[in-house]
Amino acid sequence: MLKLVDLTVGYGAFHATHGIALEVRAGTVFALVGANGAGKSSTIMSIAGHTEVHGGCIEFDGQDITHLPINDRVRRGIALAPEGRRLFADLSVAENLMLGGYARPRAEEAANRDMVLDLFPRLRERLDQRAGTLSGGEQQMLAIGRALMAGPKMLMIDEVSLGLMPKAVDICYAAIARLRERGITVLLVEQSTKRALEAADDVCVLESGRIVWSGTAAAARQDPAVIEAYMGLAGDGAHG
Ligand SMILES: Nc1ncnc2c1ncn2[C@@H]1O[C@H](COP(=O)(O)OP(=O)(O)O)[C@@H](O)[C@H]1O
Ligand SMILES: [Mg+2]
């Protein structure tokens, strides 16, 4: 579904990744893990079209999307729940969802909204509440829900569990499992490995912009110490 080939991305003269290669299979959950500053966000932001590509290419659904505008990527089925949520704090839950689905036909928008509210009943109870007044966990649900309103083939979530209460982490990971059952591919980013390794089919560990380990999550679970070692101090699993 997604293939990064020798991908170098960054900011001006600065390279945040150095020729990374990975492949996300359709219908699977892929975890991109690594310590703070490893280049995880830069990588997924480049897939969404927000970070400059300095070299290599990004293929999605068999097509080169390296230089496509952001909206074209959304239309092809790539959605992003960004780090820090980036919700419209003064707008309601319902309005935030509506903005995520603006590019879809009416009928599809309604179906996507039903799917999101079915996935996160908590949001249904709070449709009229301002996004800025939601708890951190509810905001993460809304960020994921808003991304799903675009009806993506692949959903990318940056820092699923960072700063969330354990209960909210459970809800988000349960949603990821259900999306996988529905055939939606998920590319998730995490600083804490435990939940990511449980949820994923495939894993890749990023360190200083380079892939230092990749393989199946089953293999990673057999030897978590190896993964933790690559992740350094930030991989202490503090978020569960
Ligand atoms: N907007 C930016 N401008 C310049 N450098 C940045 C920017 N965003 C991130 N970086 C740098 O890119 C590197 C990777 O950051 P990032 O992709 O955010 O890592 P992670 O998501 O793994 O914590 C870091 O050295 C960071 O300082
Ligand atoms: Mg990040």
Side-chain angles (χ1 to χ4, degrees):
M1 165 131 295
L2 174 78
K3 201 167 160 188
L4 306 184
V5 184
D6 198 21
L7 189 69
T8 297
V9 306
Y11 311 89
F14 176 76
H15 296 330
T17 67
H18 307 275
I20 67 172
L22 62 82
E23 206 166 334
V24 179
R25 297 175 291 134
T28 64
V29 175
F30 190 102
L32 180 60
V33 301
N36 189 24
K40 305 180 301 296
S41 294
S42 301
T43 301
I44 69 167
M45 292 296 274
S46 74
I47 298 165
H50 297 281
T51 303
E52 236 176 273
V53 173
H54 293 165
C57 66
I58 304 169
E59 284 173 28
F60 183 72
D61 246 355
Q63 303 206 294
D64 188 337
I65 62 158
T66 317
H67 301 291
L68 279 187
I70 294 166
N71 284 343
D72 286 345
R73 302 183 199 219
V74 175
R75 215 166 296 131
R76 282 169 196 240
I78 299 175
L80 169 71
E83 188 171 3
R85 328 310 176 212
R86 313 261 177 99
L87 298 168
F88 297 98
D90 292 331
L91 298 185
S92 69
V93 167
E95 287 164 337
N96 270 278
L97 289 177
M98 205 173 71
L99 288 168
Y102 75 95
R104 314 313 301 186
R106 267 288 167 79
E108 203 180 313
E109 186 189 321
N112 288 339
R113 194 178 121 125
D114 285 346
M115 189 255 289
V116 167
L117 298 180
D118 181 44
L119 207 55
F120 299 119
R122 196 79 76 88
L123 294 181
R124 193 189 294 277
E125 295 160 16
R126 288 167 172 72
L127 279 173
D128 298 324
Q129 193 173 321
R130 280 176 49 233
T133 65
L134 296 173
S135 72
E138 289 159 358
Q139 289 192 12
Q140 181 68 300
M141 292 171 213
L142 181 53
I144 293 170
R146 184 180 60 179
L148 287 170
M149 288 295 292
K153 291 181 188 164
M154 181 178 79
L155 170 68
M156 304 192 289
I157 311 173
D158 199 350
E159 302 292 359
V160 179
S161 71
L162 190 63
L164 302 190
M165 304 285 283
K167 189 81 194 289
V169 176
D170 288 345
I171 292 172
C172 290
Y173 271 100
I176 289 168
R178 285 183 63 193
L179 291 171
R180 184 181 181 282
E181 283 166 16
R182 294 180 77 110
I184 296 176
T185 306
V186 178
L187 171 52
L188 64 88
V189 159
E190 275 280 13
Q191 274 177 47
S192 81
T193 50
K194 190 167 174 284
R195 296 304 293 268
L197 295 190
E198 286 166 10
D201 296 286
D202 297 301
V203 179
C204 133
V205 184
L206 206 55
E207 187 184 71
S208 304
R210 291 189 167 82
I211 292 175
V212 290
W213 193 93
S214 67
T216 64
R221 285 192 296 261
Q222 298 269 309
D223 206 353
V226 173
I227 308 294
E228 298 281 323
Y230 278 127
M231 306 222 351
L233 290 175
D236 61 2
H239 301 287

